[in-house]
Amino acid sequence: MFQESANYLKSKVNRSPGIAIILGSGLGELAQKVENPVYINYQEIPHFKTSTAPDHKGRFVFGSFGGKEVVFMQGRLHYYEGYSLQEVTFPIRVLKETGVKTLIATNAAGGINKAFAAGDIMLIEDHINLLGTNPLIGPNIAYHGERFFDMTYAYTPRLQQIAKESAAQIGLPLQKGVYIACTGPSFETPAEIRAFRLWGADAVGMSTVPEVIVAVHCGMEVLGLSLITNAAAGVLGTPLCGQKVIETAQKKGREFEALIERIVEQI
Ligand code: HPA
């Protein structure tokens, strides 16, 4: 199945990017800076599902960015949309088949760490999977990777270093921390957030972890970046609002774009 989808992409796009960048909620506009873009809607690709999440366009954008051949995923699939984690991570396997070696996964997240403010960007150093399941449950896809594999260095140290240096070069403060994935679509309760803080989590979201697990399984290097769009539930005592999450992400789009461009240049 992956090969069929990958072959379709190869037949439509005469490019083989080494870097894939998943654009999270509110961050889709980053793909506008791509030179010579080629757009492929998920809908037209065999075996592909399409994103129903707000502000997720549901297409690949191939082109050059930061001096490299890249493919953006403008929109991703989420577990809360009702897709299985195999479906959520299917595009990662397809990208592997097309020759992608590096995954940059971005997302919008709530800040659990009290030192974080809305608008901060957090480098993901590690994650906690609270989805209650794993995208690799089922037969192992042995030609992509081993059944049991290490997650100690899931977020590639070399890429973390590049991200820190890139942020410093453009004068952008970069937070660091642990991302915890919940299913959503309800936001978390204040009690859950207090518990997650005790576990060592710094930011909470509804994505990224499945894609990262599959990317590591199939041998990709991974970088994760969260845009902190809001203080997590209970931190400020004000209610959370989905629309506000997207607006905050959109406002920070420029800085995020500059950071990712600088990172891509140095990969
Ligand atoms: N919780 C979960 N997901 C999110 C949040 C949040 O507070 N903000 C943006 N995505």
Side-chain angles (χ1 to χ4, degrees):
M1 283 226 293
F2 317 123
Q3 286 92 338
E4 254 175 72
S5 313
N7 287 342
Y8 179 83
L9 287 178
K10 288 185 211 159
S11 75
K12 289 274 170 182
V13 190
N14 190 17
R15 291 194 171 125
S16 61
I19 302 171
I21 304 165
I22 306 177
L23 298 174
S25 297
L27 298 168
E29 293 310 307
L30 258 71
Q32 274 179 348
K33 266 199 98 180
V34 170
E35 289 164 37
N36 305 318
V38 177
Y39 302 98
I40 309 279
N41 291 325
Y42 298 157
Q43 273 158 333
E44 66 180 270
I45 307 169
H47 311 298
F48 251 68
K49 308 281 177 196
T50 195
S51 178
T52 65
D55 197 53
H56 283 249
K57 280 211 170 74
R59 64 183 184 186
F60 285 118
V61 186
F62 290 80
S64 56
F65 180 78
K68 304 248 161 63
E69 285 297 310
V70 305
V71 52
F72 282 97
M73 282 183 66
Q74 229 178 9
R76 58 148 62 88
L77 306 177
H78 302 80
Y79 194 43
Y80 66 71
E81 294 176 77
Y83 296 122
S84 70
L85 288 190
Q86 280 82 2
E87 288 169 331
V88 167
T89 56
F90 184 80
I92 306 299
R93 300 234 178 251
V94 173
L95 290 170
K96 169 74 181 176
E97 295 289 332
T98 63
V100 167
K101 306 248 175 322
T102 304
L103 178 71
I104 301 178
T106 73
N107 59 55
I112 297 176
N113 187 322
K114 290 180 180 169
F116 291 1
D120 282 357
I121 297 175
M122 185 189 89
L123 171 68
I124 305 178
E125 295 181 310
D126 203 348
H127 74 221
I128 297 172
N129 178 10
L130 201 69
L131 299 175
T133 182
N134 187 297
L136 301 179
I137 289 174
N140 184 39
I141 299 163
Y143 76 97
H144 274 182
E146 292 174 19
R147 171 88 296 189
F148 304 106
F149 60 98
D150 183 57
M151 287 291 284
T152 311
Y153 300 108
Y155 296 85
T156 311
R158 181 182 84 87
L159 297 183
Q160 290 190 46
Q161 191 56 33
I162 290 175
K164 288 178 198 163
E165 286 166 11
S166 300
Q169 285 163 11
I170 62 172
L172 190 71
L174 188 64
Q175 305 281 12
K176 295 173 291 214
V178 173
Y179 175 91
I180 184 166
C182 294
T183 65
S186 52
F187 287 120
E188 303 69 35
T189 64
E192 285 165 347
I193 295 301
R194 287 194 298 274
F196 299 164
R197 189 178 297 118
L198 291 176
W199 293 354
D202 298 286
V204 58
M206 305 174 190
S207 68
T208 304
V209 163
E211 293 120 319
V212 168
I213 292 171
V214 169
V216 174
H217 179 252
C218 60
M220 290 185 192
E221 289 194 314
V222 173
L223 178 72
L225 292 167
S226 292
L227 177 57
I228 307 299
T229 50
N230 57 284
V235 175
L236 298 179
T238 44
L240 271 56
C241 159
Q243 186 52 33
K244 205 123 181 260
V245 163
I246 289 171
E247 282 168 18
T248 308
Q250 285 170 341
K251 265 194 228 147
K252 283 301 250 194
R254 276 276 140 74
E255 284 170 39
F256 216 90
E257 180 180 285
L259 176 63
I260 292 180
E261 190 167 15
R262 184 57 70 98
I263 290 169
V264 168
E265 282 168 4
Q266 300 186 74
I267 281 177

